Amino acid sequence: QVQVVESGGGLVQAGGSLRLSCAASGSTLNVNAVRWHRQAPGKQRELVATIIPTGTTGYADSVKGRFTISRDNAKNIVYLQMNSLKPEDKAVYYCVYRIVTRDYWGQGTQVTVSS
């Protein structure tokens, strides 16, 4: 079994920064990818960023140039550095570990950006 826990959310003013962390425990071998998704009230869940074992990353157009996904392999933690935050970035952010053919979701962490 795999447990995924996000942390680091909170309230920040527009233009500010936050760093989200995603820690996985359990059977975390054979991770194919780690993704960050977000869901704003009344909107569909959106893929924000992805990192694969080679270190290759990908981003949604809405966050490109402002968000950076990275990983600390020694600690088995994936980060999402969010800079120049905008009110429209307000959402619950979820971390997802893709292991073989299964997705393991965290419980989410709330990010609120005040204008």
Side-chain angles (χ1 to χ4, degrees):
Q1 189 67 349
V2 176
Q3 294 79 42
V4 177
V5 179
E6 305 96 336
S7 61
L11 172 64
V12 64
Q13 286 189 331
S17 298
L18 280 176
R19 188 178 77 162
L20 306 183
S21 299
C22 175
S25 61
S27 301
T28 57
L29 295 178
N30 301 314
V31 175
N32 294 338
V34 181
R35 313 188 305 267
W36 285 96
H37 292 250
R38 68 184 180 187
Q39 187 164 23
K43 294 189 177 181
Q44 287 189 329
R45 194 168 290 180
E46 174 189 20
L47 174 61
V48 174
T50 304
I51 188 165
I52 62 175
T54 60
T56 301
T57 58
Y59 300 93
D61 287 343
S62 57
V63 306
K64 205 170 289 183
R66 299 188 298 122
F67 290 11
T68 303
I69 187 171
S70 62
R71 64 186 182 190
D72 183 328
N73 289 330
K75 297 180 179 178
N76 205 16
I77 295 177
V78 173
Y79 301 101
L80 185 67
Q81 178 68 43
M82 305 185 296
N83 298 330
S84 302
L85 282 161
K86 304 175 181 180
E88 52 262 43
D89 294 318
K90 175 184 175 179
V92 178
Y93 284 72
Y94 299 91
C95 177
V96 184
Y97 269 69
R98 177 77 170 182
I99 299 177
V100 188
T101 59
R102 286 191 61 179
D103 282 341
Y104 297 87
W105 290 74
Q107 81 290 349
T109 185
Q110 177 72 50
V111 171
T112 301
V113 184
S114 63
S115 56

